[in-house]
Amino acid sequence: MDEHQSSTAEALNQLQSASSSYLRSARHQPVNWHSWGEAAFARAQAENKPMLLDIGAVWCHWCHVMDRESYEDPELARIINDHFIAVKVDRDERPDVDCRYQAAISAISGQGGWPLTAFLTPDGRPYFGGTYFPRDDRYGRPGFGRVLLTMAQVWRERRDEALESAASVMGAIEHNGSFSARSGDLTLALVDKIAASAVSQFDPRHGGFGSQPKFPHPAILDLLLEVGLGRGNKQAEQAFTVTLQQMARGGVYDQLAGGFHRYSVDERWVVPHFEKMIYDNTELLRNYVHAYQSFVRDDFRRTAEEIMGWLDAVMTDRKRGGFFASQDADINLDDDGDYFTWTLDEARAELDADELAVASRYWDIGELGDMHHNPAKNVLHRKLTIDEVAAQTGRSVEETRRLIASAHQKLLAARIARPTPFIDTTLYTSWNAMGVTAYLEAARVLRADGPREFALLTLDRLLAEAWDGAETLHHVMAYGNEAGAKLVDKVPGNLDDYAMTVHACIDGWISSCEMRFYRAARKLAEAMISKFYDRTAGAFFDIAMNLPGATPLGALTARRKPLQDSPTPAGNPTAASALLRLEELSGRKEYREMAEDALESFAGIVEHFGLYAGSYGIALERLLLDPMQIVIAGQGPEADQLEALAMARFAVNKTVIRLRPGQIVASNLPEALAETVVQVPKPEGKPAWALICRGRTCMPPVFDAEGLLHALE
């Protein structure tokens, strides 16, 4: 992609040594950009200049529009360089910086998003800002040149106003990030209130929640499944199943290659923002795996397999392990998802008459399409079922299915030949940990070795490249693209990185029974507690407290305790869930106490977060429901059958552990599990057996499917 890989002879600004793809894409701009760090702040304070902060992402279309319109304009660059110290931040690389300034800009302008444009005092406190500013006055927005000159004038001539505004905004950042409210009880009724809030926004016709734009909400979907199955809540179950069904039929789902785009601009899931994020796809993969696990529907299994097919082909380092960060929406600024969309003539050029007759109906490809910039362009979505297409065209279902399959193959091959949107091959720690967990869950439910092997390869790489083996975990495993695999900027790991990696390590142990993964989970959990847990007031901060030799810059002085899923699972409930899972295996009561304390910290306010409190509801279910461990011991088809039965139906509080005969020794098991399993008398002459423990009470071993089904009931 040209704007990411420019190699002109222009003078480079100070981003030339950056590792982030987004920052490197701006290294030829005439703006004298700095990356976030002490040097930029020191210069701003030495020259007593305000700072211009741009936060964006390599996948963000309007970030590149603003780059082209404004930051590549020599006249505006001169104004910026004369009056400001300019700092550019990659929101994927520095989520800690982004979330604080998003809160600030929301307080100032009432909206957030990317690009984020903020004007800061020399010590980094925001006094004005917004999102996208056009080059000249339009869209009802002031032109960026006028904004720049006005903000420079405010700093020179009305500095007291700027400082007063900055103080007020910093207070808003603090408030936005500290939702602590302990009033309220930790009960299942609180979980039900969160689920009811989501159900009240459910769109029964199209699936999803609210109207346009529509985002997937993976954590709340899993919570609705949990409440639906666990407490017989048919409304919650319907919201889950209909949403998954309708999303997979829509244009928000890539009908040719698999994988989900970031969100839909319409309520029918037809027209998406075309960028694809790794974290959306790994979490939605888990939703579809849990759906298949619970309802054994072929469409759910097929969607899960297609998501993994796209991830395997496009978004992963197959040789070394690792999940890439994102795929852009566009080839350049002059198109809008053209790589993913089709005119009827483009489809006609690839398909024969019979294929076109069924494909045009199945994916709704017509003369008049869906895209505003080019009305002939169609977003492929499944308007009709295969049976309906067969009836309309007078063909058999089998012939229709065959023609759709051949049309699919031809259209995908033709699309692959198009210039491909840029892929950011950076490996972020938390997102890779999420990928590990998703693949390991998929491997068990779908009974597939490939995802399991790749997940463990990735987990090994994560622990080797992002972790020092003790207390330090970095936010970036490896930078990609032209920066190469060398880790240049060691961005400190945040709460998400630690919490997600603890989960991944627990899942790694469950999948492999290799104790090194369990020991890594314990070490990382202890480091997470040491760095992030507030022993005075409870709950976890999002960034480490008192990093040695580090002074927080700008808005990083504001303390935040994340509660809200936006869009990845929030740090506090994710950390609480990790500690509860570890307590079940280790018997360490303090893990449970800290998890309970973290959840109590938000009990008085969390029900108001509705759709964005899914991971909190899941953590609270873990806390309040007795954990159920099902240990399957043995090998061969009998053990496989017992494992498959044990895995049936998703439940937050259920853990299925498969042990081979030689693995049932105390040294190979976590402490609490060893106390239980090693003491079970080994049945003579039985190839396999299952042990069900609920809470701290275990039933006698069972030896066949009928006995296991009876025990589970």
Side-chain angles (χ1 to χ4, degrees), residues 218-219 277-286 311 323 428-442 455 458-459 462 477 496-497 499-505 507 567-570 574:
M277 315 305 296
I278 190 65
Y279 52 75
D280 288 329
N281 282 281
T282 57
E283 293 305 281
L284 285 165
L285 170 59
R286 295 180 69 210
L311 291 170
F323 293 87
Y428 291 104
T429 297
S430 56
W431 300 351
N432 270 264
M434 291 162 67
V436 168
T437 288
Y439 265 45
L440 290 177
E441 287 191 5
T458 298
L459 183 55
L462 188 161
M477 289 167 56
D496 288 3
D497 294 311
M500 299 292 188
T501 304
V502 173
H503 279 288
C505 289
D507 294 322
T568 54
T574 302

Side-chain angles (χ1 to χ4, degrees), residues 611-678:
L611 286 176
Y612 304 96
S615 60
Y616 181 95
I618 289 169
L620 191 49
E621 290 270 305
R622 282 193 191 280
L623 177 74
L624 297 176
L625 299 176
D626 283 340
M628 181 167 66
Q629 290 180 333
I630 306 173
V631 178
I632 309 295
Q635 54 193 2
E638 296 86 352
D640 291 343
Q641 184 183 30
L642 290 175
E643 183 181 13
L645 282 174
M647 290 294 297
R649 287 175 59 112
F650 170 73
V652 163
N653 63 325
K654 179 174 71 175
T655 305
V656 180
I657 300 166
R658 174 76 179 268
L659 300 174
R660 299 318 190 256
Q663 295 171 331
I664 308 174
V665 292
S667 61
N668 197 58
L669 298 171
E671 300 86 346
L673 191 63
E675 289 180 12
T676 303
V677 175
V678 174

Side-chain angles (χ1 to χ4, degrees), residues 413-430:
R415 199 182 83 176
I416 289 171
R418 296 173 176 177
T420 305
F422 177 81
I423 296 167
D424 181 4
T425 58
T426 304
L427 307 179
Y428 291 104
T429 297
S430 56

Side-chain angles (χ1 to χ4, degrees), residues 511-532:
S511 177
S512 68
C513 287
E514 294 187 33
M515 282 296 285
R516 61 195 178 91
F517 292 132
Y518 172 72
R519 286 191 287 268
R522 286 288 304 271
K523 282 186 179 180
L524 284 161
E526 294 294 339
M528 179 176 75
I529 293 165
S530 171
K531 289 174 178 288
F532 303 97

Side-chain angles (χ1 to χ4, degrees), residues 240-250 288 297 299-300:
F240 174 83
T241 55
V242 171
T243 296
L244 263 61
Q245 174 183 297
Q246 295 300 92
M247 283 196 305
R249 290 171 62 99
Y288 283 93
R297 279 177 44 173
D299 58 334
F300 291 150

Side-chain angles (χ1 to χ4, degrees), residues 567-588:
T568 54
N572 266 285
T574 302
S577 282
L579 292 180
L580 289 168
R581 294 182 75 193
L582 268 185
E583 187 266 341
E584 293 172 27
L585 295 171
S586 68
R588 292 280 301 274

